[in-house]
Amino acid sequence: MTITLSFPPAVLSPNSRVHWAKKAKAAKAYKAICLWLLQEHKAILKGKYQFTLTFRPPDNHRRDLDNMVAAMKHGIDALAFVCGVDDSQFQLTVAKGEPTKGGCVEIVAL
C-alpha cells in the first residue's frame, strides 16, 4: 500500500534562508497536514517501523536526497506519531523518483 503526502515546502529545506518564525509556522502546518492524511491509515501503520520514501519533486531543479529527507522531518515525526513508534527506531529507504506536478512523497510500509 502506498500513502501519498504532499512535497515538503521549500522553506523547510536546510538550505532555505528564512526567518525562524516563518520556518516554524510552515513546519507546524506541514506536520498538521501529514497527520491529517496519515490518520486514515492508522490501523495499517500501527507498530510499523520500516518504510520506503520516494520523493517526487515538483520540478526538475537539482535537489540533494539528504536535504529532501531533512525537509521531510516534520512529516516523519507525524508518521512516527501515527505508528506509535519512536522515529529513532525507523528503518528508512529513500529514493528520488521522477518529478510530478505539485510534487509528492510516496510512503510504503514494509
Side-chain angles (χ1 to χ4, degrees):
M1 179 185 85
T2 302
I3 301 167
T4 303
L5 300 179
S6 59
F7 200 77
V11 297
L12 296 182
S13 170
N15 294 332
S16 73
R17 302 291 181 241
V18 296
H19 191 273
W20 64 267
K22 184 176 182 180
K23 194 171 204 171
K25 186 176 180 179
K28 186 176 180 180
Y30 185 65
K31 185 174 182 179
I33 289 168
C34 290
L35 278 170
W36 184 76
L37 291 170
L38 291 167
Q39 283 296 335
E40 61 188 70
H41 304 286
K42 189 173 186 170
I44 296 167
L45 293 172
K46 194 71 174 163
K48 301 279 186 177
Y49 61 92
Q50 292 180 311
F51 300 96
T52 298
L53 304 178
T54 303
F55 292 90
R56 298 192 181 278
D59 51 40
N60 283 322
H61 289 157
R62 291 179 54 186
R63 289 177 173 83
D64 293 340
L65 196 56
D66 59 334
N67 288 336
M68 288 189 283
V69 172
M72 180 69 183
K73 183 221 184 303
H74 303 284
I76 293 171
D77 288 346
L79 181 62
F81 180 79
V82 171
C83 292
V85 175
D86 185 345
D87 61 355
S88 67
Q89 297 176 4
F90 276 5
Q91 295 177 8
L92 301 176
T93 303
V94 294
K96 184 177 177 185
E98 292 297 317
T100 186
K101 186 175 181 177
C104 67
V105 180
E106 296 174 346
I107 300 173
V108 177
L110 304 175

